[in-house]
Amino acid sequence: MKNKAFAVLAALACLLAGTGAFAAQPVEWQTDLQPAATTVMEGIRWFEEYTLWFIIPITILVLLLLIVVVVRFRAGANPTPSKTSHNTAIEIIWTLGPVVVLFFLAIPSFKLLNEELIIPQDVDMTIKATGNQWYWSYEYQGDTEVSFDSYLLKEEGRADAGKEDKAAYPRLLAVDNELVVPVGKTVRLLVTGADVIHAFAMPAFGVKIDAIPGRMNETWFKPEAEGLYYGQCSELCGKDHGFMPIAIRVVSEDQYNAWLQEAANDVGAANKALMASVDNESSDVKVAANSN
């Protein structure tokens, strides 16, 4: 119980802090969505809270109606059942009521879908992500081309990778090579599958898109805060589906440029240099909440 309480308090501390590098990952007993790291995710979180203003009253109304029906129209209280076939007023209410509710849900929903699906024209960089059984391959497209595979970090490899801190690099979520992007830059993400259908999901960015063999899907994100963000494959893809996490490290533009130049020759060395640079700026990695 102490560990669970600590995890919840750590998540709340990160939310209240609002600044600094943090690792977005699941925590025990959480019920809320992951803190937003993009404007799209901010819209998703707002829409969730907005819909509750309709869901909760409707649920309470239906519950009350069921109670009235059970109490008032049970056999003991109403031995002679009514033969009423229709009621014009009630039929108008239960027809127009849902229409009005759906109208208020549809407008912000379509606006949010439009923001998610339309790729901005001013894209800063393009990355291709390929889902494999059971790891991810990344290709940076541009003047400096970088490509590497990203596997689940094995326990015996933590020391060599310098990722022994399980608060920052949790079990079943940490990887050997993170996807590295600069903060405040618009990233166009091309997603496909090499063998079976996978799905690229990054909750903090509001990104979830299928990786289908023979098809190139695309989405985008623009991270607004530096940190380490975790996601997972979200399409059942075989026996090790639960062991192909996604990790994105968001850093400053200078750190990214230095990493990119070194990664063109040696991704492993570039990652270690980047980790050292990040650790120099902040020795603590705060933990943010995330929904499963």
Side-chain angles (χ1 to χ4, degrees):
M1 291 299 295
K2 290 183 178 180
N3 291 335
K4 294 176 180 177
F6 176 78
V8 174
L9 291 174
L12 292 175
C14 177
L15 292 174
L16 293 174
T19 58
F22 64 88
Q25 57 182 270
V27 296
E28 295 184 5
W29 293 93
Q30 66 188 76
T31 58
D32 198 5
L33 296 176
Q34 181 170 322
T38 66
T39 55
V40 170
M41 189 57 189
E42 288 176 357
I44 293 174
R45 287 184 60 90
W46 174 87
F47 187 70
E48 180 218 13
E49 296 173 357
Y50 174 75
T51 55
L52 290 178
W53 289 97
F54 298 90
I55 294 172
I56 293 176
I58 291 173
T59 302
I60 294 175
L61 174 62
V62 172
L63 176 61
L64 292 176
L65 290 175
L66 286 174
I67 293 174
V68 170
V69 170
V70 170
V71 174
R72 184 175 178 182
F73 298 102
R74 70 187 191 278
N78 190 41
T80 304
S82 171
K83 298 183 181 296
T84 302
S85 61
H86 69 277
N87 184 297
T88 303
I90 292 179
E91 291 176 1
I92 292 175
I93 291 173
W94 72 35
T95 300
L96 293 181
V99 170
V100 172
V101 171
L102 290 176
F103 176 79
F104 280 100
L105 292 177
I107 293 178
S109 176
F110 291 153
K111 182 177 181 297
L112 181 59
L113 284 173
N114 184 70
E115 184 179 0
E116 289 184 61
L117 298 176
I118 295 181
I119 310 297
Q121 294 183 350
D122 54 341
V123 172
D124 296 299
M125 57 187 297
T126 299
I127 301 174
K128 179 182 177 183
T130 303
N132 306 271
Q133 290 180 309
W134 289 270
Y135 62 95
W136 291 92
S137 298
Y138 300 114
E139 300 176 23
Y140 288 70
Q141 302 179 3
D143 296 334
T144 304
E145 296 184 357
V146 174
S147 62
F148 58 88
D149 296 330
S150 180
Y151 287 86
L152 173 72
L153 181 65
K154 297 181 179 180
E155 292 300 309
E156 59 270 22
R158 285 184 175 273
D160 291 339
K163 298 178 178 179
E164 297 175 284
D165 181 7
K166 290 189 177 181
Y169 305 101
R171 177 178 174 272
L172 300 183
L173 285 177
V175 300
D176 54 356
N177 298 314
E178 293 94 5
L179 182 65
V180 180
V181 297
V183 67
K185 298 296 182 180
T186 302
V187 180
R188 178 172 175 251
L189 186 67
L190 306 177
V191 183
T192 189
D195 34 47
V196 299
I197 299 177
H198 302 274
F200 188 98
M202 181 54 60
F205 297 171
V207 169
K208 185 175 183 181
I209 189 168
D210 286 340
I212 303 175
R215 177 174 177 176
M216 191 71 70
N217 288 332
E218 64 176 349
T219 186
W220 71 282
F221 58 85
K222 183 180 179 181
E224 302 293 344
E226 296 181 29
L228 188 55
Y229 302 86
Y230 290 106
Q232 291 174 298
C233 174
S234 296
E235 183 71 35
L236 186 60
C237 57
K239 70 179 184 67
D240 286 342
H241 160 68
F243 302 94
M244 53 180 300
I246 302 166
I248 300 181
R249 189 185 292 274
V250 181
V251 297
S252 68
E253 188 173 0
D254 290 340
Q255 289 173 326
Y256 169 76
N257 290 333
W259 173 87
L260 186 64
Q261 294 301 320
E262 188 167 357
N265 300 315
D266 188 336
V267 174
N271 288 340
K272 289 185 177 180
L274 179 61
M275 289 174 59
S277 176
V278 172
D279 290 341
N280 287 336
E281 291 185 357
S282 175
S283 59
D284 296 326
V285 180
K286 301 173 184 177
V287 179
N290 177 29
S291 62
N292 293 322

